Amino acid sequence: MIRFVFTAILLILVTACSSIALLPTPELVQKAIALQLEQTQQQLNQQLDLNFQKFNIQRISITQEQPLTIENLPAYRVQGNYDFTIKSQKRSFNQVQKPFEVYLQIQKEGKSWRLLIPEKNRQDSQPKWHSYLII
């Protein structure tokens, strides 16, 4: 009987610890920011006829991770700051401590994450989300 109770407690602890691994990591957040910047960069390139060569994201500092549910799946609203460098053909531009906010959602199987971007200018109470695979 004592073995059964001990095994049950151990199983609960292992299960609780494994859920911690489902939190967004700084590397995941960096990939999400890069994906979000790529989306914005494509829009700017089309609208303004710009040609940015590449950008670099450094020194990510996560200040808040808020768990929530989006479309019946667990998600996180992650906020913080990062340093940013963008290079064009003629010059480079640096920005320090640029604030960010990303929405990350782990998929049902728990193996992949998606960047969620809310659609702007919607009047509905429920926002429509655009989803992009990160890993």
Side-chain angles (χ1 to χ4, degrees):
M1 181 67 167
I2 293 175
R3 264 193 202 160
F4 177 73
V5 172
F6 181 72
T7 305
I9 291 172
L10 189 60
L11 184 61
I12 290 170
L13 289 174
V14 169
T15 305
C17 291
S18 68
S19 67
I20 293 172
L22 300 179
L23 292 173
T25 63
E27 294 80 18
L28 176 70
V29 172
Q30 182 174 1
K31 289 178 182 181
I33 293 169
L35 185 56
Q36 196 170 37
L37 287 172
E38 286 174 9
Q39 296 294 319
T40 304
Q41 179 183 356
Q42 288 176 2
Q43 292 171 355
L44 287 174
N45 286 346
Q46 291 173 351
Q47 293 173 357
L48 302 176
D49 195 29
L50 298 174
N51 187 16
F52 293 116
Q53 298 297 314
K54 64 178 182 174
F55 56 84
N56 189 19
I57 299 167
Q58 298 177 325
R59 293 189 215 41
I60 294 176
S61 171
I62 297 172
T63 57
Q64 185 178 16
E65 289 180 330
Q66 177 186 5
L68 47 105
T69 301
I70 299 175
E71 296 181 2
N72 299 321
L73 289 173
Y76 291 90
R77 177 179 171 223
V78 182
Q79 294 176 298
N81 299 300
Y82 65 96
D83 294 348
F84 176 69
T85 303
I86 190 165
K87 295 179 181 178
S88 68
Q89 292 175 342
K90 297 181 182 178
R91 63 181 184 182
S92 68
F93 172 74
N94 295 321
Q95 191 167 11
V96 181
Q97 292 294 305
K98 182 171 174 56
F100 73 85
E101 175 182 75
V102 291
Y103 291 88
L104 302 171
Q105 185 175 64
I106 191 159
Q107 298 305 287
K108 288 180 184 178
E109 73 282 354
K111 295 179 183 176
S112 62
W113 287 84
R114 297 188 77 83
L115 169 66
L116 301 178
I117 299 176
E119 187 175 296
K120 298 191 188 306
N121 300 326
R122 285 189 54 102
Q123 303 300 328
D124 300 342
S125 60
Q126 294 292 332
K128 179 176 177 175
W129 296 92
H130 296 276
S131 174
Y132 302 92
L133 181 65
I134 301 172
I135 55 171

